[in-house]
Amino acid sequence: FGVPEIKACELSILTSLNWHINPVVPSGIVVDYLVSYLPQVLQGSIADNRSSSLAESDAECIKFHVYDCAKYLAELSVSVPALCLVYRPSIVSYASILVAFDTLRTPPASISSRQRLEFEEVAGQVSAGYYDRREEDIEGASKILRTICPTLIELFPTPTLSSRCASNSNEALLLSPTTAATSL
């Protein structure tokens, strides 16, 4: 198929749908995709093994916490024109993950600056350098996210890594509004 045939087919589909389609939003697959690399960084599989790496179950707890925070911020961003009309959804979702990292300040459920840098490097590699070239946009989106939700750390307190969380079970114990509501 050539470009003209593909364009004609797309136009036919859109016309059939009366142009009623959902836009790409930051809370979509990009957040899921980017957060999937976090456990590798936390467990130290990206770099050499080090004492600051976490057990697999603890890394999963932190991943779910970052996911909840980032998803919340990404969904909130849709109602803020300064974000959704200025920045691409991929930039907003990546910035929401970086801002979510800020809620992880209390050891052992914290992300070291080295782990954060490793995550940023992995995201840069996976995106073929896209995020590296858009640092100014990422910082701008992060600043707006912090402004619209200054109490994120209160909404999503640092997860408690309990014995249940540290066991080999697949269940993660997170103390955040989203996961707490769904686990009741």
Side-chain angles (χ1 to χ4, degrees), residues 108-130:
S110 61
I111 293 180
S112 70
S113 56
R114 181 177 177 178
Q115 290 169 321
R116 182 180 175 128
L117 182 62
E118 285 179 18
F119 178 80
E120 291 174 7
E121 287 174 4
V122 169
Q125 291 170 358
V126 169
S127 69
Y130 174 74

Side-chain angles (χ1 to χ4, degrees), residues 65-66 69 99-106 109 152-153 156-159:
H65 174 79
V66 170
C69 291
V99 171
F101 285 167
D102 295 342
T103 65
L104 296 168
R105 297 180 184 159
T106 310
L152 185 66
I153 197 159
F156 295 90
T158 302

